[in-house]
Amino acid sequence: MDSNEEIYGAIPHRPPFLWVDSIVSFDARTIVTEKFIAPDLDLFRGHYPGYPLMPGVLLCEAVFQTGALFMAKILQESGQSLKSGERTPVLTRIKEAKFKREVKPGDTIRMHVTLDENIGNAWFFKGKVLVDNRTAVKVNFGCTITDAA
């Protein structure tokens, strides 16, 4: 199965708001994903003209989507799913976001998300974004699973 199929089958996010291109690795505690930041993204025309930067909020979104992929893969292993229209991962908490390095058009970012704790439908994670093997963003966050109906 190619990465797009796997990602599309796991979480409801779609272009232009899908911030994960591929799953690099996955185990019971951690998932690693990547995203190429295309230089022709429309958002670079306004953030910032003449000095384009990937918005920090979208770097965090890439981490959050990676967390949703982790949840989906863990649930798939137990015979459950997060298929679009049935159950949806929803962000419930953002803590301690730190922005350490710029991400620019043409960069490839790598997201590392580690499960901190899972209590029922509540999932707590530590995440980071790397660019050129250097930390660009660190953020702790929580998600839950809601019924879409």
Side-chain angles (χ1 to χ4, degrees):
M1 174 183 301
D2 77 32
S3 281
N4 279 344
E5 252 181 73
E6 185 175 12
I7 292 166
Y8 287 5
I11 61 174
H13 306 81
R14 296 292 181 268
F17 209 74
L18 179 61
W19 296 104
V20 176
D21 289 337
S22 63
I23 298 170
V24 175
S25 65
F26 167 77
D27 63 39
R29 301 282 310 161
T30 304
I31 187 169
V32 178
T33 63
E34 283 188 339
K35 172 72 177 169
F36 173 69
I37 306 301
D40 62 350
L41 288 174
D42 195 44
L43 63 92
F44 289 127
R45 292 186 313 126
H47 195 267
Y48 295 93
Y51 192 81
L53 295 175
M54 186 69 179
V57 68
L58 294 179
L59 294 171
C60 287
E61 179 64 22
V63 172
F64 305 152
Q65 289 180 15
T66 298
L69 280 166
F70 178 89
M71 294 164 64
K73 289 184 75 60
I74 291 292
L75 290 171
Q76 285 170 354
E77 287 182 352
S78 67
Q80 302 175 57
S81 75
L82 280 183
K83 288 184 182 167
S84 184
E86 295 172 10
R87 302 170 77 200
T88 303
V90 177
L91 183 69
T92 58
R93 177 186 298 178
I94 301 171
K95 288 178 62 177
E96 302 172 24
K98 296 178 184 173
F99 302 93
K100 298 176 171 280
R101 189 161 321 298
E102 295 174 351
V103 173
K104 297 184 177 187
D107 285 340
T108 295
I109 56 175
R110 183 171 277 212
M111 285 67 65
H112 290 250
V113 171
T114 302
L115 179 65
D116 203 21
E117 187 174 20
N118 174 220
I119 305 169
N121 274 349
W123 303 67
F124 301 96
F125 297 100
K126 292 183 183 198
K128 63 183 174 180
V129 176
L130 298 156
V131 62
D132 296 326
N133 289 322
R134 298 169 69 185
T135 301
V137 176
K138 291 174 88 173
V139 62
N140 297 337
F141 63 102
C143 296
T144 192
I145 301 167
T146 63
D147 291 329

